[in-house]
Amino acid sequence: MQPLKQHRGIVAPLDRANVDTDAIIPKQFLKRIERSGFGRFLFYDWRFDENGNPDPSFVLNQPEYQNSSILLTRKNFGCGSSREHAPWALNDFGIRVVIAPSFADIFYNNCFKNGMLPVKLSEEQVETLFERARKQTGYQLTVDLEEQRVYDDSGLSYSFAIDSYRRYCLLEGLDDIGITLQSEAKIAAYERNLPAFYSAKL
Amino acid sequence: MKPRTMFEKIWERHVIEQQEGKPAILYIDLHLIHEVTSPQAFEGLRMAGRKVRRPDLTIATMDHNVPTTDRRLPITDPIAKKQMETLAKNCEEFGIPLFDLHHERQGIVHVIGPELGLTVPGKTIVCGDSHTSTHGAFGALAFGIGTSEVEHVLATQCLQQLKPKTMRVHFRGNLPPGVTAKDAILALIAEIGTDGATGHVIEYTGETIRNMSMEERMTVCNMSIEAGARAGMIAPDETTFSYLRGRPFAPSGEAFERAVEEWKQLCTDEGAVFDSYVEIDAGKIAPQVTWGTSPGMGTDITQCVPDPASFATETEQKAARLALEYMGLTPGVPISEIKIDRVFIGSCTNSRIEDLRAAARVVKGYKVAPHVHAMVVPGSQLVKQQAEAEGLDKIFTQAGFEWREAGCSMCLAMNPDTLKPGERCASTSNRNFEGRQGRGGRTHLVSPTMAAAAAIAGHFVDVREWKYRDQEDGIYATT
């Protein structure tokens, strides 16, 4: 996994609450068996009309946000389905950081598995960022995971909270399967006491 | 010893390792997989040269994108076909039991787990699907995971998990006649919101829950995720044990009785403390209908489409405005005047035998309204066989419903079962998100009886006033 220590990028404001993973990546694109290439389907039903033509009013279709890499949005982002295709699509589009007042649990967790950082700020702080992003074309933020801080070039600076272990894994880009396998002896010991009927053989 | 919740007992029993400042390494007793969220996980294993640690604790089925029409016909969607073939190939390569498209026990992953007796109290159960919370109805700790975690469980049979918080949702009293488990959970979500239980595992308690069948409890736990919860759980009792007795993968004979004694110990101790508490007066719940594009945007059948201005915050007002625009609804219109084009009875929320019985009882002796296209999709092949043995399929087809093969179908519309733009559907599924049942499709979440009644009337009706025609002697009864 790619580590993420510090990230600077253009902020794309998506002013909606409860954006669900069906909206992030509609189901017709979940049939693919690869992990990559989902970026062109990101927010598909909002980005493109019935004939596949881009809707110029959608934020990611506007020229100033073509190269955005930080998504700013409202509460409960990523609710609904567990599909990891949602962070895959965001990542493939180029989004590395999502800032919102709150996230749905599974989406939040899935981000870290893909080297992406979901940042929780207060409703008021998010509102301020929306105002700045609206006023200033190409508004940029720097997200510093080491310092747990989000700041811009004109003095705004917010600190954010994050679980220390998640922070550590993302800073180091750790493979967590490898970490779990270090507990092999304990796993094997536990398995010796599993009820026999748990083992399902057809 | 400090009193513990059921969640804490199951959690603690499964912690392999807990180091200071790190997530717990949690053992997983049952891993359910399906065609959509597993291919990239198997690919990851192959790239790292890893094996599946416990194929015997892993069960696969095909459900999300399977066609629900005649299974003898070839699959027309080449990408869906490839995904199903990939699952079959992966299961063969790694030795995982698979209920494929043609298996007599194929079905929706959250329907077959319980009906095969794979889901039992005290297990930790995961699946790359958010509705894994369904299995909590048995007193199991069951939750949805992403594909990276699917790979993690395949490789290690464990997960790294931060301990969630606990919430007790207490349903006081009993549901009135004609009000169902679906209405209870929709009412809860409308009350606490789709992020009301984020970060929590819910335990549902109260007389309402105790009096529910396993099918009803599964409906409640299924939609825990729609309240944002990590999982939903219900303490096991005699209802649970009698459901499990004799199921293929449940223990049998004396082993079953021994297991029951252990399962009884799982219940939350008197005096155990939860992180938060919610109480709902079950007696005040009426049949629910959602009007918006989030499961929390719901009201009851006696109400009207709300005015966005009536919501407290600007964010909520905007969300309601966007939702009504998408749904093509006007504030103030009575819910019962909303006309529908389609009816879908199915999904991991409401496709079990009891759901089909309840819907069939409403439908019996009636015809689907001429402008409505209605379909029933049983949750599994076993549910389908049972329903056919009881003659339910005939009741549905004589009324004008389509009777389909088992699968997720129009709950998420990955297969050919989809709404057309602008079509309005009364659906027994779990999500009314924009485009969920097809681009531009408009979904109203309801119970199976409300969906059945809407199919007949052509618009939403209060099923509590339904004139049943299921009496042989021609006496019509309500509820």
Side-chain angles (χ1 to χ4, degrees):
Chain A
M1 197 179 74
Q2 281 289 319
L4 189 151
K5 293 186 166 74
Q6 198 189 64
H7 180 81
R8 181 182 164 88
I10 295 173
V11 179
L14 178 66
D15 193 358
R16 289 181 79 126
N18 300 314
V19 173
D20 58 76
T21 53
D22 276 82
I24 298 171
I25 179 91
K27 75 296 210 120
Q28 63 267 36
F29 307 114
L30 308 186
K31 295 171 193 167
R32 302 171 73 252
I33 58 171
E34 301 84 15
R35 234 176 225 266
S36 55
F38 287 96
R40 60 200 152 114
F41 310 124
L42 177 68
F43 295 119
Y44 193 85
D45 289 357
W46 290 342
R47 250 168 94 201
F48 303 100
D49 68 13
E50 294 78 0
N51 305 315
N53 300 315
D55 174 353
S57 69
F58 186 70
V59 55
L60 295 183
N61 288 335
Q62 293 159 10
E64 58 267 41
Y65 300 116
Q66 288 297 308
N67 297 314
S68 56
S69 60
I70 299 176
L71 187 72
L72 177 67
T73 185
R74 301 287 182 181
K75 68 164 191 154
N76 201 25
F77 186 80
C79 61
S81 158
S82 64
R83 59 189 70 166
E84 199 163 316
H85 311 68
W88 293 342
L90 287 162
N91 205 353
D92 195 52
F93 180 86
I95 302 289
R96 296 286 176 273
V97 174
V98 185
I99 301 176
S102 62
F103 295 89
D105 290 331
I106 304 177
F107 175 84
Y108 186 77
N109 195 37
N110 282 341
C111 283
F112 290 99
K113 308 290 179 193
N114 291 281
M116 297 163 65
L117 175 61
V119 174
K120 289 183 206 170
L121 295 176
S122 72
E123 298 259 5
E124 294 73 28
Q125 290 169 334
V126 166
E127 183 55 43
T128 305
L129 293 180
F130 266 105
E131 281 164 21
R132 292 195 175 205
R134 271 193 290 257
K135 270 189 208 139
Q136 189 184 324
T137 306
Y139 180 65
Q140 296 204 19
L141 280 171
T142 304
V143 180
D144 190 317
L145 179 59
E146 242 158 357
E147 294 183 14
Q148 295 181 223
R149 203 163 63 86
V150 175
Y151 57 92
D152 69 7
D153 299 333
S154 45
L156 177 146
S157 173
Y158 296 141
S159 64
F160 62 89
I162 185 169
D163 171 70
S164 60
Y165 186 72
R166 280 188 160 132
R167 173 174 167 273
Y168 166 70
C169 289
L170 196 48
L171 286 172
E172 301 295 324
L174 291 181
D175 164 22
D176 58 357
I177 293 179
I179 297 170
T180 298
L181 286 173
Q182 291 170 2
S183 301
E184 167 60 36
K186 286 182 178 170
I187 299 171
Y190 183 89
E191 285 179 326
R192 284 193 279 278
N193 292 321
L194 272 189
F197 74 88
Y198 279 20
S199 178
K201 297 202 173 71
L202 292 186
Chain B
M1 195 174 175
K2 183 172 159 276
R4 292 181 300 165
T5 62
M6 175 166 60
F7 161 75
E8 285 164 335
K9 292 182 190 182
I10 299 173
W11 175 271
E12 285 165 20
R13 190 178 291 185
H14 287 84
V15 171
I16 295 282
E17 179 131 23
Q18 175 75 75
Q19 290 178 19
E20 183 71 28
K22 286 190 182 180
I25 296 179
L26 198 70
Y27 196 81
I28 302 303
D29 296 322
L30 175 61
H31 187 194
L32 303 164
I33 61 173
H34 62 83
E35 75 277 23
V36 176
T37 57
S38 67
Q40 295 87 352
F42 284 109
E43 190 56 27
L45 286 187
R46 270 190 290 268
M47 281 164 63
R50 289 171 174 142
K51 292 198 169 4
V52 174
R53 183 182 180 86
R54 293 297 300 261
D56 60 323
L57 303 183
T58 313
I59 291 274
T61 190
M62 296 177 181
D63 56 3
H64 278 61
N65 67 29
V66 301
T68 56
T69 44
D70 193 338
R71 291 275 156 89
R72 290 165 300 187
L73 300 173
I75 296 165
T76 51
D77 179 342
I79 312 173
K81 185 164 179 272
K82 187 176 179 199
Q83 199 172 49
M84 285 182 250
E85 287 167 356
T86 302
L87 179 65
K89 191 170 68 71
N90 285 331
C91 287
E92 198 186 334
E93 181 181 338
F94 292 97
I96 295 167
L98 168 68
F99 297 99
D100 73 5
L101 201 53
H102 303 287
H103 199 286
E104 59 180 10
R105 291 172 178 177
Q106 175 268 342
I108 305 175
V109 64
H110 310 309
V111 175
I112 70 169
E115 80 184 2
L116 295 173
L118 289 162
T119 304
V120 297
K123 271 192 184 179
T124 46
I125 301 173
V126 297
C127 174
D129 188 284
S130 61
H131 291 111
T132 309
S133 58
T134 311
H135 307 264
F138 290 79
L141 174 59
F143 52 91
I145 55 177
T147 297
S148 294
E149 290 188 316
V150 170
E151 183 181 338
H152 199 123
V153 179
L154 288 172
T156 68
Q157 204 56 37
C158 294
L159 270 180
Q160 295 180 13
Q161 289 288 301
L162 293 168
K163 194 176 180 181
K165 293 182 182 148
T166 55
M167 173 185 279
R168 191 186 74 177
V169 172
H170 187 75
F171 283 99
R172 195 159 21 85
N174 270 310
L175 293 170
V179 179
T180 67
K182 182 65 164 288
D183 302 309
I185 188 66
L186 282 173
L188 172 73
I189 299 163
E191 173 84 19
I192 69 172
T194 51
D195 57 354
T198 300
H200 291 74
V201 169
I202 298 175
E203 181 176 345
Y204 299 97
T205 62
E207 207 181 335
T208 316
I209 300 292
R210 284 298 126 220
N211 291 335
M212 281 182 182
S213 65
M214 287 318 298
E215 284 84 351
E216 292 174 299
R217 293 178 189 185
M218 282 188 256
T219 299
V220 170
C221 287
N222 172 275
M223 289 191 71
S224 301
I225 181 74
E226 264 62 64
R230 209 61 192 93
M233 308 175 85
I234 291 173
D237 59 11
E238 283 307 322
T239 305
T240 320
F241 309 143
S242 57
Y243 177 97
L244 287 172
R245 201 169 273 119
R247 301 261 163 193
F249 290 100
S252 54
E254 215 181 298
F256 186 83
E257 301 313 320
R258 274 201 307 277
V260 165
E261 287 316 305
E262 281 201 26
W263 294 339
K264 284 179 180 169
Q265 310 302 315
L266 294 169
C267 299
T268 293
D269 297 328
E270 184 88 27
V273 177
F274 291 81
D275 293 300
S276 60
Y277 295 84
V278 173
E279 193 163 311
I280 302 273
D281 185 348
K284 289 198 176 134
I285 299 173
Q288 301 287 301
V289 182
T290 63
W291 50 264
T293 53
S294 166
M297 293 172 166
T299 186
D300 71 57
I301 181 68
T302 63
Q303 302 295 307
C304 296
V305 174
D307 184 348
S310 67
F311 291 91
T313 68
E314 208 176 303
T315 304
E316 282 175 288
Q317 289 173 7
K318 185 179 176 195
R321 267 199 311 277
L322 286 171
L324 291 186
E325 194 181 308
Y326 179 85
M327 293 295 287
L329 293 173
T330 313
V333 171
I335 298 290
S336 59
E337 284 178 16
I338 299 173
K339 274 182 78 172
I340 54 153
D341 310 300
R342 304 280 297 267
V343 170
F344 171 62
I345 297 178
S347 86
C348 58
T349 313
N350 281 127
S351 65
R352 298 180 181 82
I353 189 68
E354 277 203 0
D355 299 315
L356 304 193
R357 284 179 190 143
R361 204 182 148 227
V362 170
V363 167
K364 192 170 182 183
Y366 286 99
K367 293 276 182 214
V368 171
H371 68 278
V372 173
H373 175 251
M375 63 196 276
V376 182
V377 184
S380 70
Q381 293 301 338
L382 289 181
V383 169
K384 181 167 182 267
Q385 288 158 27
Q386 174 74 29
E388 287 172 356
E390 295 178 19
L392 304 184
D393 60 321
K394 294 282 182 301
I395 294 175
F396 285 118
T397 52
Q398 279 164 11
F401 278 84
E402 284 187 32
W403 179 250
R404 296 293 191 92
E405 301 292 329
C408 297
S409 179
M410 213 164 68
C411 173
L412 83 164
M414 266 190 85
N415 75 345
D417 309 336
T418 66
L419 295 181
K420 293 188 200 70
E423 276 190 326
R424 189 179 296 287
C425 181
S427 179
T428 68
S429 55
N430 40 57
R431 288 186 177 136
N432 52 353
F433 299 149
E434 280 187 22
R436 173 78 178 182
Q437 296 191 296
R439 185 175 182 143
R442 294 161 171 168
T443 304
H444 296 269
L445 303 176
V446 288
S447 72
T449 51
M450 283 289 286
I456 307 300
H459 56 88
F460 292 112
V461 291
D462 191 340
V463 76
R464 292 174 299 182
E465 290 158 13
W466 192 251
K467 304 281 185 240
Y468 285 88
R469 293 180 180 171
D470 63 337
Q471 308 284 334
E472 293 301 331
D473 56 9
I475 298 168
Y476 295 177
T478 53
T479 62

